[in-house]
Amino acid sequence: MQNRTTPQAAQRILLAALMPLGLATIASAGDIQPLKTAVIKATTGLCHRGETCHVDRAGVWTPSIAVAILGASVAEQADIALYTDLEVSTRPEMYQCNGGEAQGCIFRMKYAGPGLLDYGATSGSTYVGSNITNTSITFPTGYGIVIPAGTPIYVHLDVRNTSLIDLKVDQDAWLYYVPYAPVSQ
C-alpha cells in the first residue's frame, strides 16, 4: 500500500515545520479577506520659491459604495527645504477637524524636508540629506472609519516652499479599505 499525503496534510506539516522559525503565518484563501486600495493623487500645482501654497481639495476620491477605511499611508517626498501639512478628510476645507467635531477626519501628518544651506547664494543650493520616509496609520482589528457611498474624501495640502527653486508639489495618499454594510438589528 502506497502512503499518500493530502494537500491539507502537507500544509499542516509545512506549518508545523515553520512554527519554530516564526514563519507559520501562511494563510489560506479562507483566512484572507480582500483589502482594496484607493490612491488619491493630490497636487499644489506650481509652488514658487518662498511661497506658501495652500490647496483645499488638492485631490479627491469618492467611493461608489460605503467603505470602512482600515489604514492610510502617505510617503513623505521632500528632499529639499519644503514643509508640508497634509490632511485626509471628508471635510471640504482643511483645519476643520477638532475636538468632538472630527467626524470624517481620517488622517493628518506634517513633515519638513531637510535644511537647505545656501551660503547667501541667490541661485543653486546645497541640501543636507534627505527626508523620504512613510507616514501611516492602521486601526485595531475590527475598527475602521466608515464613509458612506458617494461621500468625497479629500486630500488638503498646505506647503511652504523654502527652497531656492519653484516646485510642483505632488503628494499621493493611499487608503486601504473594505466594502462596508451595516449589520441590521
Side-chain angles (χ1 to χ4, degrees), residues 37-63:
T37 305
V39 180
I40 303 175
K41 302 267 185 197
T43 185
T44 62
L46 186 62
C47 188
H48 297 287
R49 66 183 179 171
E51 289 187 3
T52 297
C53 301
H54 178 88
V55 181
D56 288 319
R57 297 178 300 263
V60 64
W61 172 62
T62 304

Side-chain angles (χ1 to χ4, degrees), residues 60-110:
V60 64
W61 172 62
T62 304
S64 59
I65 60 170
V67 299
I69 296 174
L70 306 179
S73 178
V74 177
E76 299 174 13
Q77 302 180 65
D79 59 357
I80 56 172
L82 188 73
Y83 168 83
T84 302
D85 192 347
L86 179 142
E87 186 177 286
V88 179
S89 77
T90 60
R91 302 292 180 112
E93 295 176 1
M94 194 169 191
Y95 306 122
Q96 292 184 341
C97 298
N98 59 44
E101 299 299 320
Q103 184 68 30
C105 300
I106 300 166
F107 186 76
R108 174 85 185 273
M109 63 167 258
K110 299 177 184 184

